[in-house]
Amino acid sequence: MSDNISLDDIASLAKRRGFIYQGSEIYGGLAGTWDYGPLGVALKRNIMGLWWKMFVDSREDMYGVDAAILMNQKVWQASGHVDTFTDPLVEDTVNRRRYRADHVIKDAGFDAEGLSIKQLDQLIEEKNILSPDGNKLSAVRSFNMMFKTLVGPVDDLISFIIDDGEGNTIIETAEYKHTITGGANREVHHEGKGINPATSYLRPETAQGIFTNFKNVVDSFYPDLPFGLAQQGKAFRNEISPRDFVFRSREFEQMEIEYFVNPQNWEECFEKWRVAVHEWCEALGLPKDNVHELEVPEEDRAHYSKRTIDFEFDFPHGRHELLGLAYRTDFDLKNIERVSGKKMGYRPKDGSEPFVPHVIEPSFGVERAIMAVLTSAYTEDEMNGEKRVYLKLPKHLAPVKACVSPLLKNKPELATKAREVYAALKKDLGAVMWDDNGNIGKRYRRQDEIGTPACIVIDFQTLEDGTVTVRDRDTAQQQRVAIADLAAHL
Ligand code: GAP
């Protein structure tokens, strides 16, 4: 890891070398969305595969699930997300640009951690904090970050009338058209609570897909407590101000574990997960000194948490949350019981009384893991009097494991032999690249920049004794290895 790396260094390497591109870039982009190129997708899969291997496949107490992204709206009412999954929003009163209030306050040099909407308002007023364009800010309000969508053939705009249950009539305009058999479209009157029954949300966390399957897995497998359910997948948050490359995206990927425990043992299990999180950071190749634990004070914790440790990393834009570890108590399962009417109790195998398990939740973000990995691997040194940039990625994460090339492109005997070696290695290792462009030095530099641990060159000696040169990315040392031993050597 080099000192003084900027976010731009990482983002521009990621773009130039085919890791990560701005989403919809060809049409001017869509803020907070990112597309993964060939190397990015390989790196991401390696990280996600490593996580699955470490936390699911290699353990006896873990079960995987893969729940639908679209879920019944009751999931998000029960979980509290409809009411409380909000960020504080302020508006520039002149140009109407919108910002996260705590970000504007922080950028103005004041601390906004844990402040209520009222306190944020007071601080803006007292310190005369203005918008980034120097204009007066509006009052702060809560903005729900869930993306709303409609499920079913209800695609037009229509006003519909709702009774809010307290005798008031609300008219809500929504993207809602009720198609009546026969094709006529009519205004629809809904009774009861004021939410369009077709409304669903893009999940803002994968966790709820786990909680809603708790009973299914218990019924199918009856695992011993403690046990965990793990899920990887997309999550969506309508962030007010997505920023810092992929760090704060509107669409991102999570890897989450809900670990169900007897409440008497929650502290012991929490501690085991704290240690496991550090092992994960080590497996990602993150320097120990750059990973920090932050015990989150009560006023800053999510609504469901009784204890949270944020694992922070020294990103190029500062020390920020990489992943979280929370004690979610029985908050979610109890809420599911309340709203669904179904029992979430676990019956201990010793025949004692059933109880609702408590939950320890390690929650990992894939994008932030990628950023931390790239930051840790990004290295500058000098080689043969020239500046070199390379990614010192752990071998198991490198998107390309080896690159094969003939010493000279225009010597058919070398090219043929090199193709043979390439084909055989590709069968064994999969992620092997062919490169015969430019001179050998340039090829090495290109591979160094994407973190390829080994470059294999077929030269005239290969034709004589069946050995090739293998160049090590980090030391640039070369050694001769027999073709027959290559796969094992790599
Ligand atoms: N289920 C708990 C939960 O979702 P969180 O702290 O809101 O907790 C967990 O999110 C992790 O997801 C974070 O530590 C981070 O790695 C990742 N994450 C959250 N919001 C993100 C965003 N807008 N962009 C990228 N990653 C994000």
Side-chain angles (χ1 to χ4, degrees):
M1 178 166 173
S2 288
D3 295 334
N4 304 322
I5 315 164
S6 72
L7 216 49
D8 274 354
D9 291 330
I10 304 284
S12 75
L13 184 141
K15 172 163 190 200
R16 192 171 67 250
R17 302 312 316 273
F19 284 87
I20 302 175
Y21 311 113
Q22 170 67 62
S24 313
E25 191 179 19
I26 209 154
Y27 290 110
L30 179 67
T33 66
W34 299 91
D35 294 343
Y36 284 80
L39 298 184
V41 84
L43 175 61
K44 187 174 175 182
R45 280 178 181 222
N46 290 343
I47 290 174
M48 295 174 81
L50 177 69
W51 186 91
W52 198 266
K53 193 168 153 200
M54 255 178 101
F55 293 128
V56 183
D57 287 345
S58 68
R59 295 176 59 128
E60 266 185 60
D61 56 347
M62 294 291 302
Y63 298 78
V65 293
D66 188 6
I69 289 176
L70 291 174
M71 303 176 83
N72 191 307
Q73 57 173 255
K74 286 185 184 154
V75 169
W76 307 108
Q77 288 156 11
S79 68
H81 283 79
V82 171
D83 292 330
T84 61
F85 196 60
T86 57
D87 267 345
L89 175 78
V90 275
E91 197 172 277
D92 179 312
T93 52
V94 176
N95 60 26
R96 294 283 176 244
R97 290 203 178 112
R98 292 173 166 199
Y99 305 96
R100 235 177 91 165
D102 52 331
H103 285 177
V104 176
I105 292 172
K106 206 169 156 217
D107 291 348
F110 302 100
D111 186 13
E113 284 293 318
L115 298 188
S116 66
I117 296 272
K118 205 168 153 203
Q119 290 166 324
L120 292 170
D121 262 335
Q122 277 168 353
L123 197 60
I124 289 174
E125 180 78 25
E126 267 169 31
K127 307 288 179 197
N128 193 26
I129 296 170
L130 300 174
S131 80
D133 295 315
N135 301 317
K136 198 168 160 32
L137 290 165
S138 69
V140 181
R141 70 175 170 91
S142 287
F143 173 77
N144 193 298
M145 288 197 288
M146 285 198 291
F147 282 99
K148 250 189 198 175
T149 188
L150 293 165
V151 177
V154 285
D155 58 354
D156 262 11
L157 201 75
I158 193 167
S159 294
F160 63 101
I161 299 162
I162 308 151
D163 180 351
D164 73 355
E166 289 166 18
N168 305 311
T169 298
I170 300 166
I171 299 181
E172 188 180 304
T173 302
E175 304 77 18
Y176 183 95
K177 179 157 73 181
H178 192 94
T179 308
I180 311 257
T181 317
N185 297 316
R186 296 207 206 123
E187 197 168 284
V188 181
H189 295 256
H190 280 277
E191 300 285 317
K193 285 281 172 200
I195 254 196
N196 187 329
T199 298
S200 183
Y201 305 90
L202 299 185
R203 66 181 179 203
E205 61 168 9
T206 56
Q208 295 304 323
I210 298 181
F211 289 122
T212 47
N213 280 293
F214 166 76
K215 193 170 162 10
N216 286 335
V217 177
V218 169
D219 289 348
S220 309
F221 295 88
Y222 196 17
D224 284 329
L225 213 64
F227 71 92
L229 300 185
Q231 175 166 227
Q232 300 183 330
K234 292 271 189 180
F236 304 83
R237 295 184 188 178
N238 199 1
E239 296 282 354
I240 295 170
S241 39
R243 58 183 188 178
D244 304 322
F245 191 34
V246 295
F247 182 86
R248 193 172 301 288
S249 306
R250 287 186 167 135
E251 174 177 340
F252 55 98
E253 205 117 20
Q254 287 187 321
M255 307 182 284
E256 297 202 295
I257 292 164
E258 307 306 327
Y259 197 72
F260 299 95
V261 303
N262 185 319
Q264 286 165 359
N265 305 332
W266 81 265
E267 275 159 316
E268 185 191 318
C269 292
F270 191 95
E271 176 56 20
K272 282 189 182 155
W273 278 107
R274 193 187 67 77
V275 173
V277 164
H278 282 291
E279 285 163 7
W280 165 249
C281 294
E282 211 170 299
L284 289 184
L286 313 187
K288 268 200 174 83
D289 290 349
N290 296 76
V291 178
H292 312 273
E293 288 184 23
L294 173 76
E295 187 73 48
V296 180
E298 188 178 351
E299 62 273 21
D300 293 342
R301 288 201 291 261
H303 59 280
Y304 49 70
S305 175
K306 271 234 169 109
R307 184 182 177 194
T308 298
I309 296 179
D310 279 352
F311 287 79
E312 298 189 316
F313 180 75
D314 295 321
F315 289 100
H317 62 298
R319 186 176 293 181
H320 295 286
E321 180 185 336
L322 168 68
L323 62 98
L325 175 63
Y327 170 39
R328 278 181 94 126
T329 67
D330 55 1
F331 177 87
D332 298 272
L333 291 183
K334 278 271 173 67
N335 278 328
I336 291 176
E337 273 196 343
R338 181 176 54 79
V339 176
S340 72
K342 309 258 165 50
K343 288 277 169 236
M344 291 293 127
Y346 174 88
R347 182 177 293 283
K349 289 185 177 168
D350 63 8
S352 50
E353 279 303 296
F355 62 91
V356 175
H358 282 217
V359 168
I360 309 295
E361 180 196 63
S363 175
F364 306 73
V366 176
E367 278 66 17
R368 293 190 190 177
I370 290 175
M371 266 182 72
V373 165
L374 289 176
T375 305
S376 304
Y378 191 97
T379 313
E380 287 173 359
D381 66 3
E382 217 183 84
M383 191 158 281
N384 306 328
E386 274 179 41
K387 184 182 144 190
R388 169 176 83 136
V389 170
Y390 73 106
L391 290 184
K392 204 171 176 175
L393 290 169
K395 262 189 200 173
H396 55 274
L397 296 184
V400 178
K401 305 295 179 212
C403 173
V404 178
S405 53
L407 180 65
L408 299 167
K409 186 181 178 175
N410 57 3
K411 294 284 174 198
E413 63 276 35
L414 293 184
T416 307
K417 189 70 191 166
R419 278 279 171 198
E420 246 176 54
V421 173
Y422 169 69
L425 266 188
K426 207 154 174 60
K427 234 186 210 167
D428 277 337
L429 301 179
V432 178
M433 197 181 253
W434 171 265
D435 188 2
D436 60 5
N437 275 328
N439 67 42
I440 206 79
K442 287 213 173 103
R443 290 180 214 162
Y444 287 155
R445 290 300 157 83
R446 271 200 297 274
Q447 294 303 322
D448 288 347
E449 218 188 3
I450 62 171
T452 308
C455 284
I456 296 156
V457 173
I458 282 68
D459 56 16
F460 292 105
Q461 193 179 326
T462 311
L463 305 179
E464 284 165 21
D465 66 6
T467 63
V468 295
T469 63
V470 180
R471 173 189 175 271
D472 178 81
R473 173 196 65 199
D474 302 343
T475 61
Q477 297 291 316
Q478 297 186 22
Q479 64 180 118
R480 292 210 77 88
V481 176
I483 291 172
D485 300 336
L486 259 183
H489 176 85
L490 293 171

